[in-house]
Structure formats: structure tokens, C-alpha cells
Amino acid sequence: MNFQERLKTQTLLMDGAFGTYCSRKQGRRGVSYELLNLTDPGLVEGIHREYLAAGADAVKTNTFGATPDALGRRLEEVLTAACGNAARAAQGTEALIFADLGPVSGDPAQRFNAYREIIDVFLKCGLTHFLFETLESAAGVRQAAGYIKNRCPD
């Protein structure tokens, strides 16, 4: 059943705040939770599995803070690892995986370009569901949503 069909018949429960939960669980503060996709993939997968076991119908990639400014040349590596971690955790379930996009900086054009760079990696990884969250501005987001729709019309 695709995403739109599922929403017609059920409420979709998402996972929670990954970094907040990880911080509380591991006592780690001041670390890049996104880099854990590379340095501790078992931890990341385990947290996804905990959310699924608690009843989540969907998990978000652990990529809220994964932006070109924050990760530079490591962006694609981190995003790809995050997609793999979420996919492995959801394997054997009907859970959906959402690409998680947090705020980016710059003027609207710069924001769109940053989102486009992130989106292209997620699409390359096969993701088709996207969540923009905790944004102080919608600048660049409407363009990014149109970009996604053009590349992933379903």
C-alpha cells in the first residue's frame, strides 16, 4: 500500500526526536548525531528499531542536521549511510522511511540549492518520502518540494 492510500485508512505514527533520544540514551551531548550514521551505525539502527517496536509506522533518517554547511564533502557519505541504517532497521516491516531535512542557511536561492543537493542524494538512495522540519523560514522549501515532485511524482 502506498503512502497516500495508507493515510486514507490509518493515522501514521512517526518516530520521535532522534538526537534528543540518543542524547538521553547514551549521555552524549555536543556530538554530531548525523556522524553516528558512520561511526556507530548499530546504535542508529537500534534506535530506529526501538521506535518501530514502540509502534511507529515510519522512521526518519538520522539527518536533521546533515547540511552542506555542516558536513561539507562528507554530506553524501553521511546521507547514504543514514538511508542504509534506516532501511536495515525497517527491513521486514511495512514501515515507511522519510528523508529528514532540517533547516539550512542562506537566502532563498542558497537554501533551495542546499536542499537540492541533499534531495539528490536521498533520491539516489531510493527514498520517496520527505519531511522538512523545525524551520524558521519556508524560504527555499516550496522550490525544493516542487523539485521533489518533478523527480518523484508519486
Side-chain angles (χ1 to χ4, degrees), residues 6 11 21 32 37-38 55 67 73-74 84 98 112 116 138-139 142-143 147 153:
R6 283 178 83 169
T11 301
Y21 182 63
S32 168
N37 288 301
L38 299 172
T67 66
R73 293 178 296 159
R74 298 199 79 185
F98 279 75
F112 169 66
R116 184 177 58 201
R142 290 196 202 304
Q143 284 178 288
Y147 183 78

Side-chain angles (χ1 to χ4, degrees), residues 1-75:
M1 180 181 321
N2 73 25
F3 176 62
Q4 289 86 1
E5 290 170 357
R6 283 178 83 169
L7 286 180
K8 290 177 186 176
T9 61
Q10 74 183 68
T11 301
L12 183 70
L13 298 177
M14 302 284 293
D15 65 359
F18 192 96
T20 303
Y21 182 63
C22 185
S23 173
R24 196 174 27 181
K25 182 178 177 76
Q26 297 293 310
R28 298 180 188 189
R29 294 200 181 271
V31 300
S32 168
Y33 297 107
E34 293 74 20
L35 287 177
L36 290 174
N37 288 301
L38 299 172
T39 62
D40 199 345
L43 172 65
V44 174
E45 288 178 40
I47 290 173
H48 287 315
R49 284 191 187 102
E50 286 183 49
Y51 279 121
L52 292 169
D57 300 304
V59 293
K60 302 180 302 273
T61 56
N62 175 33
T63 54
F64 175 78
T67 66
D69 285 344
L71 297 174
R73 293 178 296 159
R74 298 199 79 185
L75 179 67

